[in-house]
Amino acid sequence: MTMSELQLKNALDTLKATGVRITPQRHAILEYLINSMTHPTADEIYKSLEGKFPNMSVATVYNNLRVFREAGLVKELTYGDAASRFDFVTNDHYHMICESCGKITDFHYPALKEVEQFASHVTGYKVNSHRLEVYGTCPDCLEQKNKQVL
């Protein structure tokens, strides 16, 4: 069993344990999120799956994403006025965001756990979570920009 198959099985088990019925659309949306590395929007998920499920609406995708979020399987990433993006929750990771095209790339940096401990110690807060975003220009956009300069 591959890692993504195991993640899908565990996610489906989590949903079943909370009484959520597993429909073909739910299964497909979850599988898409697990296999996607692009942090897709609901519209992107819909467009990718509409051929397989012609009767599925964008509202169906949003409703399922809400169910997944409430079950703790998906994080909703909001950035100002842009459409929310969705990230399957695998482990703590951070996001590098391209300011040109909006692409989001995951990266891991374990030392940031210490930030939570330090923040709690200094402020007296009980830390529930944190979110780190780093902004820049992705390699594809840099290459595009360099071609325009030449």
Side-chain angles (χ1 to χ4, degrees):
M1 189 177 272
T2 67
M3 185 62 163
S4 61
E5 289 169 338
L6 184 62
Q7 288 174 323
L8 180 60
K9 182 193 176 309
N10 291 341
L12 292 171
D13 289 346
T14 298
L15 290 172
K16 286 177 194 164
T18 58
V20 174
R21 209 166 52 96
I22 307 303
T23 64
Q25 290 95 331
R26 236 173 229 152
H27 189 281
I29 293 167
L30 203 49
E31 190 171 24
Y32 183 84
L33 279 165
I34 288 169
N35 292 318
S36 171
M37 300 309 288
T38 62
H39 307 82
T41 64
D43 279 341
E44 289 168 350
I45 297 169
Y46 168 74
K47 285 180 181 130
S48 293
L49 298 176
E50 70 179 330
K52 203 190 241 183
F53 299 98
N55 297 330
M56 185 172 67
S57 67
V58 178
T60 302
V61 174
Y62 273 107
N63 290 336
N64 280 294
L65 290 168
R66 182 182 44 77
V67 168
F68 300 157
R69 193 184 66 231
E70 289 169 1
L73 298 173
V74 168
K75 278 186 185 161
E76 183 173 359
L77 309 172
T78 53
Y79 301 101
D81 293 341
S84 291
R85 294 185 165 273
F86 295 88
D87 193 9
F88 183 74
V89 176
T90 49
N91 51 26
D92 283 341
H93 62 270
Y94 307 100
H95 297 117
M96 184 74 203
I97 302 160
C98 180
E99 292 174 305
S100 296
C101 69
K103 177 180 177 181
I104 302 172
T105 304
D106 293 344
F107 72 96
H108 300 268
Y109 189 67
L112 284 172
K113 265 290 178 226
E114 295 171 16
V115 170
E116 285 187 3
Q117 295 165 347
F118 181 75
S120 177
H121 176 75
V122 170
T123 64
Y125 280 47
K126 177 194 171 291
V127 176
N128 297 321
S129 66
H130 72 268
R131 178 169 124 171
L132 173 71
E133 296 152 3
V134 181
Y135 293 85
T137 308
C138 73
D140 293 339
C141 289
L142 280 174
E143 190 178 316
Q144 249 349 71
K145 200 180 270 183
N146 287 338
K147 284 181 183 173
Q148 290 170 354
V149 171
L150 297 176

